[in-house]
Amino acid sequence: MKRQKQSNWWVYLILFGGILLMLIPLVMTIISSFKPTREITGNFFGLPQEFTLANYERLFQDGVVQYFMNSAFLTIAGVALIILVVPMAAFSIARHMDRKRAFAIMYILLIIGIFVPFQVIMLPMTKLMSTLNMNNQFGLIILYLTYSIGQTLFLYVGYIKTIVPVEMDEAAAIDGCDKFTMYRKIIFPLMKPMHATVLIINALWIWNDFLLPLLVLNKDQNMWTLPLFQYNYQGMYFSDYGPSFASYVVGIIPILIVYLIFQKNIISGMTSGSVK
């Protein structure tokens, strides 16, 4: 055992190096958020000569709370709608795709959207949303649901086919449960690890998304999200790095807390469907 541990020292060395590569940018972002822009441009890797909260005060003066709440609303509403709608479709497809060709074709058509580059549909999507007068937060939430279907449906269908046996449906039917009651009380709670996985994947995407809000919400500054607000500090000839790094810290904290809360369920959800 001791020889095995000694022979694996390089594995721990690589892991330690990976940890440093991930932590160094985070630490430098936090440190830079307490430095004025002139210090950041003059000596990026140095410690601040004097820690200052001026960057955070600037954020609040510029209305960061409003943009933070806009991002929080879009993230919570988008993820809730995804977890509410997609598992129902996944359950129906998973139970019928092996026996009915229509469900298999529907499944293929839905997940094929994963392979369509966003740049291909970007301009038609913008034109359609403008024509429907949906250049608002409601329209953006619908878009998040639409673009999440491919990947999320793929994850849920694989999880249901592997982890949730058909015998549970039969047992529930014998007990007198209708389809919706069976799904709501039995199937949906059993998918908790996959719910956590889907929550983190989509929450991280929606919270950090820049392009869709830029295309849909850019006409009204009051509807800006946090990434759009952060971009406001970047100019063609000058970038105000102090408030930028402070805004990055504000943006990192919520998603980091959510990840730490659900990390065990995420690992379970990603591994449960890998072995039958």
Side-chain angles (χ1 to χ4, degrees):
M1 182 66 71
K2 290 183 178 179
R3 290 182 179 178
Q4 185 177 2
K5 289 184 177 179
Q6 291 176 355
S7 63
N8 290 337
W9 64 269
W10 58 272
V11 176
Y12 295 102
L13 182 63
I14 293 174
L15 291 175
F16 181 73
I19 292 173
L20 287 180
L21 288 176
M22 291 185 290
L23 287 180
I24 288 176
L26 178 61
V27 171
M28 294 309 303
T29 299
I30 296 174
I31 292 176
S32 297
S33 69
F34 295 100
K35 297 165 61 176
T37 299
R38 64 178 183 276
E39 284 192 34
I40 296 174
T41 54
N43 185 14
F44 177 71
F45 292 100
L47 292 175
Q49 298 177 2
E50 182 179 355
F51 280 88
T52 176
L53 295 176
N55 295 325
Y56 291 95
E57 294 174 358
R58 169 82 178 277
L59 289 184
F60 284 98
Q61 291 173 1
D62 292 343
V64 68
V65 175
Q66 177 183 355
Y67 307 117
F68 182 95
M69 296 304 296
N70 288 342
S71 287
F73 170 73
L74 289 172
T75 303
I76 294 172
V79 170
L81 190 62
I82 291 168
I83 294 179
L84 179 66
V85 173
V86 179
M88 289 191 288
F91 175 64
S92 180
I93 290 174
R95 287 295 189 254
H96 297 93
M97 64 184 299
D98 294 332
R99 294 180 285 108
K100 297 182 180 180
R101 183 175 296 179
F103 283 88
I105 295 174
M106 184 188 307
Y107 176 64
I108 293 173
L109 291 176
L110 288 173
I111 68 170
I112 204 171
I114 299 175
F115 305 102
V116 179
F118 177 74
Q119 289 79 4
V120 174
I121 58 178
M122 181 173 65
L123 292 179
M125 179 274 297
T126 306
K127 178 65 176 177
L128 177 63
M129 298 301 288
S130 179
T131 303
L132 296 176
N133 197 25
M134 295 182 66
N135 291 333
N136 49 45
Q137 292 178 329
F138 173 76
L140 186 56
I141 291 170
I142 298 299
L143 285 177
Y144 282 134
L145 171 64
T146 303
Y147 290 128
S148 70
I149 288 176
Q151 182 187 47
T152 307
L153 185 71
F154 176 78
L155 292 173
Y156 272 117
V157 169
Y159 186 85
I160 293 171
K161 288 176 68 67
T162 306
I163 302 300
V164 186
V166 180
E167 288 77 12
M168 300 198 72
D169 303 11
E170 299 170 351
I174 293 173
D175 290 338
C177 285
D178 58 78
K179 286 287 185 181
F180 181 72
T181 303
M182 175 188 64
Y183 170 80
R184 180 170 58 88
K185 292 188 175 181
I186 300 175
I187 305 301
F188 188 82
L190 285 175
M191 293 190 287
K192 181 180 177 182
M194 187 51 65
H195 294 327
T197 303
V198 169
L199 185 151
I200 285 297
I201 292 174
N202 288 283
L204 186 62
W205 163 47
I206 297 173
W207 181 263
N208 292 323
D209 186 34
F210 174 79
L211 191 54
L212 271 176
L214 178 66
L215 296 172
V216 178
L217 304 178
N218 198 37
K219 291 183 179 180
D220 187 355
Q221 183 175 342
N222 293 325
M223 292 191 296
W224 277 8
T225 59
L226 192 59
L228 290 180
F229 169 72
Q230 292 170 340
Y231 186 71
N232 194 47
Y233 291 115
Q234 311 301 319
M236 182 180 297
Y237 302 106
F238 175 77
S239 295
D240 204 350
Y241 292 115
S244 295
F245 279 106
S247 67
Y248 300 153
V249 174
V250 171
I252 290 171
I253 292 174
I255 206 70
L256 184 62
I257 293 173
V258 173
Y259 178 80
L260 292 175
I261 293 173
F262 291 100
Q263 62 174 336
K264 291 184 179 179
N265 289 324
I266 294 168
I267 296 171
S268 175
M270 294 299 289
T271 59
S272 293
S274 59
V275 180
K276 191 170 183 179

